[in-house]
Amino acid sequence: LKKGDLRKSQNLMLETVKKSEPWSRNYNLLGIISDKKGELDAAEKYFFTAANYSSYDDPDALMNLAMLYDKKDEKEKAESFWKLAFEKKKNASLLYNYGYRLQKQGKTDDALKFYGEALQKQPFHPGSLNNSAVIMMQKGDLAPALGYFEKAFYFSNEKPEYGLNFAFALYQNGKKTQALNIISSLEKKYPDKSIQNKIDELKKMK
């Protein structure tokens, strides 16, 4: 799944659920794959199956349903499942995803609070570090943003989008040599065109 081969991942998971106990986690993964493929009705079915097998006690299944209904613009259902998820367990993933929801709505101060709570649960949560840094940059807080971008990059095992953000922040802080070092590392590790195009844009910065 991490390598992006959705069809292969889906087939492997379907074989897994045939041979194993009906675990909520497996159906959550099938739902995530279907969601990524744009098969929202199938994703909904799998997430509900995950919720049922956990007796509606799995916050991830409930969160996935909430995010799915947000995507489908079914606001009442989304709010209902966000509420159910928060009633179960406030883990870092739930706090991060709700923070991201708020950030997309332009509620950046509220989003920062949720990212902060996620980082209390999981101090090196890459998404919360990166998104907090994005908001800090928007507010003009360049120095703390730089530290957050750096942590997000390294604790995500050098995820390319976080590396690009880190390099951009270095440029903005006048640290062009360090930015170029990050870019050079990304060029070698991620040769795909979409990443290279973004790298080319960064290189044009003065």
Side-chain angles (χ1 to χ4, degrees), residues 5-133:
D5 192 338
L6 297 177
R7 181 177 294 179
K8 185 176 180 181
S9 298
Q10 189 175 49
N11 289 336
L12 285 171
M13 285 308 305
L14 287 169
E15 286 298 315
T16 299
V17 297
K18 287 178 184 177
K19 298 175 183 178
S20 65
E21 294 294 319
W23 291 335
S24 175
R25 180 177 180 273
N26 290 338
Y27 286 97
N28 265 325
L29 287 172
L30 276 170
I32 290 168
I33 293 167
S34 296
D35 188 4
K36 287 180 180 292
K37 291 178 70 180
E39 300 168 354
L40 301 188
D41 289 342
E44 183 178 15
K45 181 187 75 173
Y46 287 128
F47 290 145
F48 265 115
T49 303
N52 284 326
Y53 278 132
S54 69
S55 300
Y56 278 70
D57 200 42
D58 179 357
D60 288 337
L62 299 170
M63 176 188 71
N64 287 333
L65 280 164
M67 290 193 294
L68 181 71
Y69 287 127
D70 273 333
K71 185 177 287 189
K72 295 174 76 171
D73 202 28
E74 297 183 28
K75 295 179 182 178
E76 288 188 13
K77 288 183 179 179
E79 292 291 350
S80 175
F81 279 101
W82 280 117
K83 183 179 178 182
L84 283 172
F86 274 103
E87 287 173 356
K88 297 303 175 184
K89 184 180 180 181
K90 289 185 181 181
N91 58 31
S93 178
L94 176 61
L95 291 161
Y96 161 74
N97 280 296
Y98 196 75
Y100 184 51
R101 182 185 194 235
L102 293 169
Q103 186 176 358
K104 288 190 293 184
Q105 294 172 352
K107 301 174 182 178
T108 53
D109 288 337
D110 291 334
L112 272 177
K113 291 177 184 177
F114 278 90
Y115 293 145
E117 286 188 51
L119 290 168
Q120 288 178 8
K121 301 277 185 184
Q122 190 178 328
F124 304 123
H125 189 275
S128 296
L129 288 164
N130 178 77
N131 289 11
S132 293

Side-chain angles (χ1 to χ4, degrees), residues 137 142 166-175 179 205-206:
M137 286 279 286
L142 300 184
F166 181 31
F168 178 74
L170 286 165
Y171 268 116
Q172 294 293 97
N173 277 271
K175 300 181 179 181
M205 292 182 64
K206 302 295 184 182

Side-chain angles (χ1 to χ4, degrees), residues 133 135-146 173:
I135 295 172
M136 290 173 186
M137 286 279 286
Q138 291 170 346
K139 291 176 177 291
D141 299 328
L142 300 184
L146 184 61
N173 277 271

